[in-house]
Amino acid sequence: MQKILIIHTGGTISMEEAADGRIIETNEHPLTEIEQLKQFSIEEKQLFHLPSPHMTLDHMLVLTQYIEKQMATAKYNGIVITHGTDTLEETAFFVDLTVNASIPIIFTGAMRPSNKIGSDALYNLFCALRVASDPKSAYRGVLVVMNDEIHTAQHVTKTSTSNVATFQSPVFGPVGFVTKLAIHFHQKMDQTTHYPVTTWTKNVVLLKTYAGMSDELLQTISSQHVHGIIVEALGQGNVPPAIVPALQRFISEGITVVIVSRCFKGVVQPVYDYAGGGRALVKDGVIFANYLNGPKARLKLLLLLENNYDHEAIVEAFHD
Ligand code: ASP
């Protein structure tokens, strides 16, 4: 029997609904006592008990260090990480970029607490354990298993506030799915480049653009505290002209500026050549982040800066 380590970090999957409708933290119930999970050989670790909006870069670091330590023991055939769904995509992407794993690493969570009618908590965990137990799931990067679908940490995002089908990969779709009898993969994955990190010294912030945006907020940003800025731009990567001088100032002060799109789908590309257009921004030294969303581009830029990548190397890394 495959031996699986479950690392709990918190979220709705570890919560219950009270009689008055509030969703609250529970006293942990050992999963090994749940009848449906007895077919797996499980060990559990409660690493954190956090709602996922409480997750920080330091928690992510603790998690990756814990995973690496456990992998070094060679005791496990797979790892399942339970996580709140709000920031699950960020922690999963961070683990994907930092851990070079030879066993499946699967994230899962739940949209409905375990005692609610139609809860997806136990079911998602059960599916995640099945995917983690299948040797086919190795060497595919970190995966996210929810609602019978398998997504890569790289592309998945939370798309609905409350629907159980919330996790989707808008550009590429799921890479596999879970049926009653089998685990199916229908896409091959590229190998992820890994970026080691042991401590945080850099700060990267995320800004969203909108019609008629002024540079008011950008005036408050200084290179003393910020090393990188992710700009969630409009469409294919264009910004309101009023913020261009501030972006130019950031670049002249050594702050790295990276463009993603506020659109739900698609890649950014510097094609428009007007004031604030992507073509002009690239001439100014702005970098385009291909298909990543804002929170994921932020994590990647942080890792690149911590590894002292220069401008050219960052451009290259965001083309991956
Ligand atoms: N607010 C919860 C969290 O992310 C939502 C969930 O787990 O689905 O911790």
Side-chain angles (χ1 to χ4, degrees), residues 10-13 15 50-53 83-87 110-111 158:
T12 299
I13 194 162
M15 295 181 185
L50 294 172
S52 76
H83 198 289
T85 60
D86 291 348
T87 62
M111 295 301 287
K158 184 174 181 177

Side-chain angles (χ1 to χ4, degrees), residues 56-65 68 94 98 195-204 227 298-308:
T56 64
L57 291 174
D58 286 333
H59 291 117
M60 292 186 199
L61 213 48
V62 170
L63 174 62
T64 53
Q65 285 162 355
E68 268 158 359
F94 179 74
T98 50
Y195 308 97
V197 63
T198 50
T199 179
W200 296 112
T201 61
K202 308 288 187 201
N203 185 20
V204 175
H227 308 94
R298 172 180 172 263
L299 289 169
K300 184 158 180 173
L301 181 57
L302 270 166
L303 289 170
L304 297 171
L305 293 175
E306 291 293 355
N307 282 280
N308 299 314

Side-chain angles (χ1 to χ4, degrees), residues 6-10 13-14 31 80-84 106-109 125:
I6 305 180
I7 304 172
H8 298 287
T9 69
I13 194 162
S14 319
L31 294 172
V80 170
I81 298 152
T82 65
H83 198 289
I106 315 296
F107 275 72
T108 194
L125 181 64

Side-chain angles (χ1 to χ4, degrees), residues 2 4-7 13 31 37 40 42 77-83 88 104-110 120-135 137 143-150 177-179 183 185:
Q2 305 283 84
I4 309 296
L5 172 66
I6 305 180
I7 304 172
I13 194 162
L31 294 172
L37 300 185
F40 301 101
I42 298 171
N77 303 100
I79 296 178
V80 170
I81 298 152
T82 65
H83 198 289
L88 185 151
I105 298 185
I106 315 296
F107 275 72
T108 194
D120 52 343
L122 186 57
Y123 185 73
N124 283 340
L125 181 64
F126 177 74
C127 290
L129 285 165
R130 285 180 58 206
V131 176
S133 305
D134 190 327
S137 309
L143 300 172
V144 175
V145 174
M146 297 273 297
N147 198 41
D148 281 337
E149 291 185 343
I150 309 172
F177 56 97
V178 180
T179 65
I183 310 299
F185 285 98

Side-chain angles (χ1 to χ4, degrees), residues 206-210 213 217-218 230-234 243 261-263:
L206 172 59
L207 287 176
K208 192 172 194 132
T209 57
Y210 47 89
M213 186 178 186
L217 194 58
L218 285 76
I230 307 294
V231 180
E232 256 189 40
L234 310 167
I243 73 165
S261 179
R262 71 175 205 180
C263 291

